[in-house]
Amino acid sequence: MIVRKNQAELEKMRAAGLLVYQVLDTLKKMVAEGVSTLDLEMTAEKMIVAAGARPAFKGYANPQAGSKFPYVLCVSVNDEIVHGMPSEKKILKRGDIVSLDTGVQLNGYYGDSAVTVAVGEITPEAQRLLDVTRESLELAIEKVRPGNRLFDICGTVEQHVIANGFTVVREFVGHGIGTQMHEEPQIPNYVDRRNENPRLKEGMVLAIEPMVNAGAAGSRVKADKWTAVTEDGKYSAHFEHTVAVTANGPWVLTRP
Ligand code: MG
Ligand code: MG
């Protein structure tokens, strides 16, 4: 069942969403050559705790990993798709691309967002990967309107990515969000006709998150049981927003 939220609930989700935005905005500005991914983690945790929120990712149990995620931030560099772990040994260098993904729970409601940023100068192809992935999210957000269907979102991402010669990751998907970080429906970045195709209704809140590979679509999970990487070692980008369906169209809760 897809849980719909009333106006008061959406306002709470807005507060959670804005906190996630502030954290990611701060981290984006920190990203530079020589910074460790653990530096980013520590700043994120400080900001979330100072705001009176709970880091949603820390302690998140993944049955496939058989463990709890130990950090507040997923930081995925270059060929890492999602769920990369911060480390003091992982030092950013010029030419890297870095996905920053975090979530918070504030007053009972979750917000979840991700952005991929460049470290210094990157190749034109890497820049195009970032642009196309961000565009695919923006085009999908435009579909978040009452009366449209879930496949309008999935298909919009898929078509934009394929038209630009990249591929969508199939093993990881977006999701409904509310009092749980992961609610129904699942939101693949392609049309999966095995799934239902519900009509979008006012009050639904969706975390849409294209994960786009520069090369082949294949992914694998590393020995740490969390970090997903591309099979071919090529770059992958990830953008995400938490978006509410309203009578007036999409309300992106994770940006001002
Ligand atoms: Mg998410
Ligand atoms: Mg996320």
Side-chain angles (χ1 to χ4, degrees), residues 174-221:
H175 48 94
I177 181 168
T179 57
Q180 306 291 323
M181 187 161 69
H182 296 127
E183 298 185 355
E184 288 183 35
Q186 290 199 353
I187 310 173
N189 294 302
Y190 63 98
V191 174
D192 186 346
R193 299 208 177 271
R194 296 168 301 178
N195 287 354
E196 286 178 40
N197 184 20
R199 214 175 265 288
L200 304 182
K201 293 179 179 158
E202 265 183 71
M204 291 180 178
V205 185
L206 308 172
I208 305 170
E209 49 182 314
M211 288 154 261
V212 176
N213 290 355
S219 70
R220 65 181 175 87
V221 176

Side-chain angles (χ1 to χ4, degrees), residues 57 101-102 112-114 173-175 177 181-182 207-209 211 238 240-242:
F57 292 5
D101 184 4
T102 197
D112 187 8
S113 182
V173 298
H175 48 94
I177 181 168
M181 187 161 69
H182 296 127
I208 305 170
E209 49 182 314
M211 288 154 261
H238 178 210
E240 177 179 22
H241 275 302
T242 296

Side-chain angles (χ1 to χ4, degrees), residues 9-199:
E9 292 169 317
L10 290 182
E11 297 291 346
K12 287 184 182 174
M13 295 197 72
R14 173 58 161 170
L18 282 180
L19 175 57
V20 172
Y21 166 79
Q22 285 159 2
V23 172
L24 291 181
D25 191 52
T26 299
L27 298 187
K28 271 164 74 173
K29 291 167 184 160
M30 272 180 74
V31 164
E33 207 172 1
V35 171
S36 85
T37 58
L38 191 68
D39 295 334
L40 302 168
E41 159 76 14
M42 290 190 300
T43 297
E45 180 158 35
K46 260 186 228 150
M47 287 184 73
I48 293 167
V49 171
R54 191 183 70 79
F57 292 5
K58 194 169 185 170
Y60 182 82
N62 174 354
Q64 280 155 354
S67 64
K68 291 179 175 176
F69 195 75
Y71 301 102
V72 311
L73 182 72
C74 290
V75 52
S76 307
V77 181
N78 297 343
D79 64 322
E80 295 173 349
I81 301 167
V82 285
H83 306 161
M85 296 208 200
S87 166
E88 62 184 342
K89 292 184 198 136
K90 193 142 200 173
I91 309 295
L92 299 179
K93 56 186 194 308
R94 194 164 55 131
D96 286 345
I97 61 169
V98 189
S99 157
L100 309 164
D101 184 4
T102 197
V104 306
Q105 185 187 28
L106 183 62
N107 296 320
Y109 287 84
Y110 285 88
D112 187 8
S113 182
V115 63
T116 303
V117 293
V119 184
E121 199 182 323
I122 59 174
T123 65
E125 183 69 353
Q127 186 60 54
R128 204 169 67 80
L129 178 68
L130 299 192
D131 292 344
V132 167
T133 309
R134 191 182 48 243
E135 289 160 10
S136 74
L137 173 58
E138 293 303 327
L139 292 167
I141 288 170
E142 274 307 304
K143 303 292 179 183
V144 179
R145 297 173 185 280
N148 281 354
R149 288 184 180 273
L150 186 66
F151 286 178
D152 293 319
I153 294 170
C154 308
T156 295
V157 172
E158 181 178 33
Q159 282 167 26
H160 189 67
V161 169
I162 288 173
N164 283 282
F166 297 132
T167 60
V168 297
V169 175
R170 299 171 93 87
E171 292 81 7
F172 302 94
V173 298
H175 48 94
I177 181 168
T179 57
Q180 306 291 323
M181 187 161 69
H182 296 127
E183 298 185 355
E184 288 183 35
Q186 290 199 353
I187 310 173
N189 294 302
Y190 63 98
V191 174
D192 186 346
R193 299 208 177 271
R194 296 168 301 178
N195 287 354
E196 286 178 40
N197 184 20
R199 214 175 265 288

